[in-house]
Amino acid sequence: MAIRSDHKQQIQQTVAVKILKSKNLVDMWRDEFISLSQVNSQHCVRVFGFEWLEANPTLILEFIEGLTLQEFVGARRILPAEIDEILIQIRLGLKDLQRYGLYH
């Protein structure tokens, strides 16, 4: 999680930062960013930018407030209806990616 702001510090936005481990795959990551940045889906995190952070290639993503799936599953017993809902939302996100010619 980070705060992203414009060069004048007038606009600030909470974002998720994914620092990429491999500098050898920068071109692949950049191409993936370009493809993902075009996806508009309520079931997929938006990609805002590809930047360099302390000499590391970095994706800037939409920050979603809440629990991770791992935290949610670890907190209590998950009801069958909740599992169904999670799977439905994953399926919808994958279908949306497919509409843009992307597969995960």
Side-chain angles (χ1 to χ4, degrees), residues 8-69:
K8 294 180 182 178
Q9 302 284 327
Q10 293 177 334
I11 300 172
Q12 294 189 339
Q13 175 183 36
T14 301
V15 295
V17 176
K18 181 175 183 177
I19 299 172
L20 309 173
K21 302 290 183 191
S22 175
K23 293 180 185 176
N24 298 330
L25 301 174
V26 170
D27 290 335
M28 182 194 76
W29 286 113
R30 189 177 296 118
D31 291 346
E32 184 174 329
F33 156 69
I34 290 168
S35 297
L36 290 172
S37 67
Q38 297 174 30
V39 174
N40 183 12
S41 167
Q42 68 180 18
H43 301 286
C44 298
V45 171
R46 291 181 296 163
V47 177
F48 293 137
F50 180 91
E51 300 178 10
W52 289 87
L53 182 63
E54 298 178 5
N56 292 301
T58 306
L59 287 177
I60 309 300
L61 308 164
E62 176 183 15
F63 179 78
I64 305 293
E65 188 73 44
L67 299 174
T68 66
L69 185 56

Side-chain angles (χ1 to χ4, degrees), residues 63-82:
F63 179 78
I64 305 293
E65 188 73 44
L67 299 174
T68 66
L69 185 56
Q70 183 177 7
E71 291 167 339
F72 182 71
V73 170
R76 60 183 175 77
R77 184 170 178 268
I78 308 304
L79 301 173
E82 292 171 319

